[in-house]
Amino acid sequence: MTIGAAGLTVYSIADYLRYNQERQERSIELGQRAGIHVAEALDATLFEIAGRAREYAAEIADIDSEAGLLESIERESRRFALVSGVTVAFEPGAFAGKERYAPFFNKARGEFQFVEDTYDYRSRKLETAQWYTRVVESRQAQWSAPYYAEAAETMVVDYGVPVADEQGRVTGVVDYTISLSDFTRIVDSLSVGEAGYGFTYDPNGTILSHPNPIYLLENVFRLTDGKDEAILRAMREDAEGVVAYNSTYTYKYSWFFFRELESTGWKSVLVFAEDDLLGASHAGRRKIIHIGMGIGTLLLALLAFVQGIDGFSRVELWRMVVLSSLVICGNIVLIWYLNLTTDFSRFDGDVERIVNESILNKYTDQYDDELHKLVNARYHKVPTGIFIESYELSSFEASLIGKLWMKYPKDLYESAPPAFYFPDVSARETRGLVSDKLSEVEYEDYVLVTWRFRVTAEQDFSYRQFPFEQNDIRLDVLYPDFSKNILLAPDLDSYAILNPSVKPGMNPNITVPSSETIASFFALRTMEFKSTFGGDRLVKTHPMLSFNMVVKRIYLNPFIANMIPILIVALIMFVMLYVSSNQEDGRSGLTTMNVIQSSAGFLFILLLAHVNERNRIETPEIAYIELFYFSMYLYITLQTLALATMFRGLDWKLFRYEDNLILKLSFWPMLLTIWYVFTLARFY
């Protein structure tokens, strides 16, 4: 038996380690593929820009009119999505006799800006002029260091190519400007994973792109949080590699995949949480449960082996009972712990967390295609953000207070005024929704409209695992008029970090006595209506913005309120069983009527606690904690029958052996085994 238990334990541990190793290797393989994909995609784009810049520099030499030059620059600026504008700067007298001439087309503004009116781009003393001076001095095409472009009014990098005349003299520079914020969006669109992100840095360590703008132009080699010297050396010296560290951005142990770009010498980096690439899995949690089973079995087998095979004394039997009870308790607690530390919302295959633009675009493109097939139209996307300031929970409702804002396109404002509604507002609450418009701020392309709201929304909570359950609070938002084809999309740009574990869109000081929020995220779902709502078009389904908060119950209060009475009753029952005897003179005054009266008292205490808890959670399901009550009802009934039968003089071997020792020894192991089976059935 000991050998078998040892074999089971070793196999369980080896199986778990092998599973983790395989997931790690597979994660690294997927991460490396993703890193190569991102690097190759960036290289292809940057090589294309560099190649076109050299071609365009040759074309510039043949343009001699100012109107023709400006038209050409504007056309060239719109060629690449990544390029925010093109500048053509000339040496003194090189174009139309002008002393200085450097037109830059700002694609974001749709207008020309003239660099010479802002600063002397030929000055070798100005860092902001090095995009020009270094190219002229070296007579070589090159990428600039990042800097703040006064004309573009943003952080940029440039690719400059010298313009030469027929005699080979440098007459100017063609410069392609890339905004670091645009570069960040390109890297983000190529990245994959939920808690992962991508960024780039130049050979000096200057961060060129990052999802959090505060890191732009910081030196990655000086941001040592979570990185030791070996990691920093690899990032500095190796052309490509993989390192692991505790990320201060994802707040998770993460893999760091980096690869040098052939086009620029920069390094592109993808960072993924350790389990992000392969997704969440129940298998690892279950394998830990198997290890607990194996170790428990091994401990019992070792104790039996140490005590010998020639039979057990009474003391040794009680020692075995105590140890087996502790082993079963340990396995129950292990399952509770695994349940409390696991975010089960990550296992929900029906809901994908929107944590970057690429996931968002996947859904909006899909909805656009579906709408185009039906009515030959596209959705108007309205970036919408939510910030929850506080919330409270009842059995199947959540009351939330917060802010909601929309970046409302100006061309929609008159035909479809900004509005929203929550489809899941409580039918029982007389004031299910209260909202007040706080402000309207006009920007170039949109109007920022902000509301403050208080809503009580119905929730599909489950209490099957109470008091260790996890539920998602879901706040669904729709535009009221479906005929306007307005899609409320998450305003990802308004959140510094979208990692769900950082709880974006939530007040960090929220305190809810009964619950703890462990994650928050946006999702897009489809809601079925199958109604015309009085119009001329049947609305079968409509996409809906959903803000989700993952909530785990703080289990201590309900656990104490329920388990303490159960354990006290079980302890008194055991004492009553322990002092019982099949000999009338050894019963310490215990009679059949005493047993029946005590059992009735136990049942009354437990029934009162059970009904009180049942009324409080108001669930149609059988909660996990109720299984403990049901087991005690059964146990009280069986023990009462057994003792009454024994006291009535029934001469069974079960009662005769060592004065009812079998029932006494089996009390705790049997009860705990029942609880363990219930726990496995609910949490495995």
Side-chain angles (χ1 to χ4, degrees):
M1 180 179 173
T2 304
I3 295 175
L8 175 63
T9 304
V10 171
Y11 172 79
S12 299
I13 295 173
D15 185 46
Y16 176 70
L17 294 175
R18 182 174 60 252
Y19 168 79
N20 276 347
Q21 181 67 24
E22 289 175 354
R23 280 181 63 86
Q24 186 178 91
E25 292 173 355
R26 181 63 176 154
S27 293
I28 293 175
E29 180 184 350
L30 290 176
Q32 288 174 327
R33 288 182 188 174
I36 292 172
H37 166 69
V38 171
E40 289 179 344
L42 288 175
D43 262 333
T45 300
L46 297 174
F47 270 130
E48 187 179 5
I49 291 173
R52 175 55 193 167
R54 289 189 289 271
E55 293 176 3
Y56 188 56
E59 295 175 9
I60 287 296
D62 298 328
I63 301 175
D64 54 10
S65 72
E66 185 172 359
L69 177 65
L70 296 180
E71 181 183 351
S72 174
I73 293 173
E74 180 177 352
R75 184 170 58 250
E76 189 65 23
S77 297
R78 300 186 187 279
R79 180 182 290 270
F80 298 103
L82 185 57
V83 173
S84 57
V86 172
T87 307
V88 180
F90 292 95
E91 287 286 280
F95 185 83
K98 294 178 181 289
E99 175 64 22
R100 290 182 302 165
Y101 189 56
F104 164 69
F105 184 76
N106 190 323
K107 193 163 63 175
R109 293 186 176 185
E111 63 181 24
F112 275 96
Q113 296 170 274
F114 295 89
V115 179
E116 70 272 16
D117 295 337
T118 307
Y119 64 94
D120 183 3
Y121 60 84
R122 297 180 63 252
S123 173
R124 292 177 173 83
K125 297 179 180 180
L126 294 177
E127 288 188 10
T128 55
Q130 290 181 0
W131 61 270
Y132 182 87
T133 56
R134 285 188 175 180
V135 174
V136 171
E137 289 174 0
S138 67
R139 303 173 64 88
Q140 298 291 326
Q142 58 184 270
W143 289 93
S144 74
Y147 68 98
Y148 181 80
E150 295 184 26
E153 297 180 341
T154 186
M155 301 303 302
V156 301
V157 290
D158 293 293
Y159 184 73
V161 179
V163 179
D165 60 14
E166 295 178 354
Q167 288 75 38
R169 293 174 300 183
V170 175
T171 60
V173 171
V174 167
D175 185 81
Y176 285 64
T177 299
I178 298 175
S179 166
L180 294 189
S181 58
D182 290 339
F183 194 55
T184 296
R185 278 193 287 271
I186 293 294
V187 174
D188 185 60
S189 69
L190 295 169
S191 303
V192 296
E194 180 177 288
Y197 63 99
F199 70 95
T200 56
Y201 62 95
D202 69 11
N204 297 320
T206 303
I207 296 175
L208 305 177
S209 69
H210 198 284
N212 191 339
I214 68 171
Y215 288 109
L216 291 179
L217 299 189
E218 292 283 350
N219 193 294
V220 71
F221 303 137
R222 296 186 188 135
L223 299 173
T224 57
D225 292 341
K227 310 183 192 76
D228 57 26
E229 185 56 38
I231 292 175
L232 294 174
R233 188 185 310 112
M235 292 169 58
R236 186 184 300 111
E237 300 175 1
D238 296 347
E240 61 180 303
V242 181
V243 295
Y245 74 108
N246 286 309
S247 172
T248 55
Y249 181 77
T250 64
Y251 296 94
K252 291 185 177 182
Y253 191 74
S254 301
W255 292 107
F256 185 106
F257 302 89
F258 64 92
R259 185 179 180 88
E260 186 174 299
L261 302 180
E262 296 178 16
S263 57
T264 60
W266 304 339
K267 288 179 182 175
S268 68
V269 181
L270 290 183
V271 182
F272 298 106
E274 188 175 32
D275 60 350
D276 187 38
L277 289 168
L278 292 179
S281 171
H282 283 292
R285 186 174 59 87
R286 289 170 176 165
K287 290 180 185 298
I288 294 176
I289 294 175
H290 297 164
I291 292 174
M293 292 178 178
I295 292 176
T297 305
L298 177 61
L299 289 174
L300 293 175
L302 285 174
L303 182 62
F305 178 77
V306 169
Q307 292 187 163
I309 59 174
D310 297 330
F312 299 107
S313 67
R314 197 181 186 96
V315 173
E316 290 171 337
L317 286 172
W318 280 112
R319 187 183 301 148
M320 283 290 294
V321 165
V322 171
L323 180 62
S324 62
S325 299
L326 291 175
V327 166
I328 298 170
C329 280
N331 276 273
I332 293 174
V333 172
L334 174 65
I335 296 174
W336 288 347
Y337 172 79
L338 292 173
N339 191 75
L340 290 170
T341 55
T342 301
D343 180 0
F344 291 95
S345 69
R346 301 184 69 226
F347 302 146
D348 188 353
D350 296 331
V351 178
E352 184 170 12
R353 303 177 177 197
I354 297 178
V355 295
N356 56 48
E357 291 287 345
S358 58
I359 297 177
L360 174 59
N361 292 337
K362 179 181 73 173
Y363 280 95
T364 55
D365 291 347
Q366 174 188 328
Y367 295 140
D368 273 344
D369 291 342
E370 292 172 356
L371 185 64
H372 189 266
K373 291 176 183 177
L374 291 175
V375 295
N376 195 29
R378 302 283 182 183
Y379 281 107
H380 303 288
K381 285 83 174 177
V382 177
T384 304
I386 292 174
F387 186 84
I388 302 299
E389 297 171 343
S390 65
Y391 72 88
E392 291 290 341
L393 301 179
S394 59
S395 294
F396 291 95
E397 291 180 337
S399 296
L400 305 102
I401 296 176
K403 290 182 180 178
L404 183 147
W405 64 90
M406 295 182 185
K407 294 178 178 177
Y408 214 78
K410 287 185 175 179
D411 57 357
L412 283 177
Y413 199 93
E414 296 299 329
S415 60
F420 68 91
Y421 88 99
F422 300 123
D424 296 324
V425 171
S426 171
R428 296 194 305 175
E429 183 69 41
T430 56
R431 299 182 67 193
L433 172 63
V434 178
S435 65
D436 298 303
K437 186 182 291 186
L438 296 180
S439 64
E440 288 192 14
V441 181
E442 189 170 335
Y443 289 86
E444 186 175 352
D445 299 323
Y446 63 88
V447 178
L448 177 61
V449 188
T450 305
W451 293 268
R452 192 172 191 270
F453 65 86
R454 180 193 181 281
V455 63
T456 300
E458 295 179 353
Q459 302 293 322
D460 184 21
F461 289 159
S462 173
Y463 291 92
R464 292 188 72 253
Q465 296 181 345
F466 176 86
F468 301 104
E469 83 276 17
Q470 172 182 308
N471 282 304
D472 285 2
I473 302 173
R474 198 177 70 212
L475 184 63
D476 296 327
V477 194
L478 283 164
Y479 186 79
D481 189 349
F482 297 149
S483 67
K484 302 298 183 181
N485 297 329
I486 291 177
L487 171 60
L488 303 184
D491 180 22
L492 303 184
D493 292 338
S494 292
Y495 302 93
I497 303 176
L498 291 167
N499 179 359
S501 63
V502 185
K503 294 173 281 191
M506 294 195 65
N507 177 5
N509 298 319
I510 286 179
T511 301
V512 181
S514 64
S515 305
E516 177 188 9
T517 310
I518 62 173
S520 63
F521 59 92
F522 282 102
L524 284 174
R525 302 169 54 248
T526 300
M527 190 169 187
E528 292 189 0
F529 292 103
K530 298 178 182 177
S531 173
T532 64
F533 294 99
D536 56 1
R537 192 182 94 196
L538 176 64
V539 181
K540 291 184 178 179
T541 61
H542 196 279
M544 176 172 56
L545 176 63
S546 180
F547 183 74
N548 297 261
M549 296 179 289
V550 183
V551 175
K552 279 190 179 292
R553 179 177 295 277
I554 299 175
Y555 68 91
L556 190 59
N557 284 346
F559 182 82
I560 291 176
N562 290 278
M563 289 305 299
I564 293 299
I566 290 174
L567 289 175
I568 289 176
V569 167
L571 182 61
I572 296 174
M573 286 178 60
F574 174 71
V575 171
M576 187 168 62
L577 179 64
Y578 186 79
V579 300
S580 67
S581 172
N582 57 9
Q583 304 296 325
E584 188 172 348
D585 57 354
R587 295 175 185 172
S588 303
L590 196 63
T591 65
T592 302
M593 187 55 64
N594 294 148
V595 171
I596 294 174
Q597 289 174 339
S598 299
S599 299
F602 297 153
L603 285 172
F604 177 77
I605 293 170
L606 294 181
L607 279 171
L608 190 63
H610 186 181
V611 170
N612 181 61
E613 191 63 63
R614 186 77 187 174
N615 289 335
R616 195 173 67 83
I617 60 177
E618 296 181 350
T619 177
E621 305 169 299
I622 299 297
Y624 168 66
I625 198 69
E626 291 184 90
L627 299 177
F628 287 78
Y629 285 107
F630 292 136
S631 65
M632 289 304 299
Y633 300 153
L634 177 63
Y635 231 61
I636 291 171
T637 302
L638 292 178
Q639 179 170 304
T640 302
L641 290 174
L643 291 180
T645 302
M646 183 178 69
F647 290 168
R648 294 293 292 175
L650 190 63
D651 189 23
W652 284 357
K653 291 182 179 180
L654 178 67
F655 301 143
R656 286 202 314 268
Y657 179 76
E658 294 288 334
D659 197 14
N660 200 25
L661 182 61
I662 295 177
L663 288 182
K664 298 174 183 178
L665 290 172
S666 62
F667 181 90
W668 286 112
M670 287 291 294
L671 182 60
L672 292 171
T673 299
I674 292 172
W675 291 351
Y676 183 48
V677 171
F678 287 158
T679 304
L680 278 176
R682 284 296 164 96
F683 297 113
Y684 182 73

